[in-house]
Amino acid sequence: QFAKPEDGIEYRQAAKVLLASHFGRMVPVIKGEAPYDAEAIKENVAILNTLAGLPWVAFGPGFEGGDAKPEVWSDAKGFEEKRENFKVAIQNLSAAANSSDLNKLKAAFGKAGQSCKSCHDSYRKD
Ligand code: ASC
C-alpha cells in the first residue's frame, strides 16, 4: 500500500488537509455569515464522509512520526476510541445535513469539531 512509512505519513497528512478544508468551509454557514444552501452542504458532507475514513490506514504500526505523538501507538486503545468517536460524529453530521435542518447541522457540526480537537489535544504534537 505504501512503499515506505514516509509515504503513509504524507498520505494521512494530505487526507487531513482535505478534511480540514471541507470541514472549515462550512464555518460561515454555521456562523450565519453565509446563506444555508442545504444541497451544497449535503454534497460537501458526503465528501467529508468519504475523507473521514481515509487517514487511519496510515496510523498503523510502522507509521510512527510526523505530527503524531508516540501515544497513538503506545495507547492504541485510547486512539481507537477517539477514532470511533469521530466516526460517529461524522455519521451524525451526515444525518443532520440530510435533514436540511440548520439547527441540527449547527449542533452536529459543533460536536464533530470537538471530536477533531479532542483527538488532536491528546495525540497530536503542537
Ligand atoms: C478544523 C480543523 C480542525 C478542527 C478543530 C475544531 O477546521 O482543521 O482540526 O476544525 O479546530 O475544533
Side-chain angles (χ1 to χ4, degrees):
Q1 199 160 18
F2 302 111
K4 49 189 194 307
E6 293 72 27
D7 292 349
I9 292 171
E10 193 176 34
Y11 178 89
R12 76 188 187 218
Q13 290 178 345
K16 302 291 196 89
V17 167
L18 292 177
L19 270 170
S21 172
H22 284 275
F23 192 71
R25 70 182 61 186
M26 296 193 285
V27 168
V29 174
I30 299 301
K31 286 186 173 172
E33 295 167 357
Y36 174 44
D37 177 339
E39 290 310 311
I41 291 289
K42 275 185 215 179
E43 281 177 30
N44 188 58
V45 170
I47 293 169
L48 262 186
N49 219 354
T50 300
L51 293 173
L54 298 183
W56 317 111
V57 67
F59 277 105
F63 293 99
E64 291 86 348
D67 293 332
K69 285 185 182 171
E71 283 83 351
V72 169
W73 293 271
S74 64
D75 175 27
K77 194 162 171 287
F79 185 68
E80 172 63 29
E81 280 167 18
K82 298 289 190 194
R83 179 177 142 176
E84 184 59 29
N85 179 290
F86 178 63
K87 188 175 146 188
V88 171
I90 294 295
Q91 283 169 353
N92 291 340
L93 184 61
S94 293
N98 290 335
S99 78
S100 302
D101 179 331
L102 181 56
N103 286 323
K104 285 185 183 164
L105 184 74
K106 284 180 183 176
F109 185 90
K111 286 195 175 163
Q114 283 164 18
S115 173
C116 301
K117 186 177 186 308
S118 156
C119 189
H120 293 159
D121 287 349
S122 300
Y123 295 99
R124 184 176 70 179
K125 291 178 193 165
D126 41 28

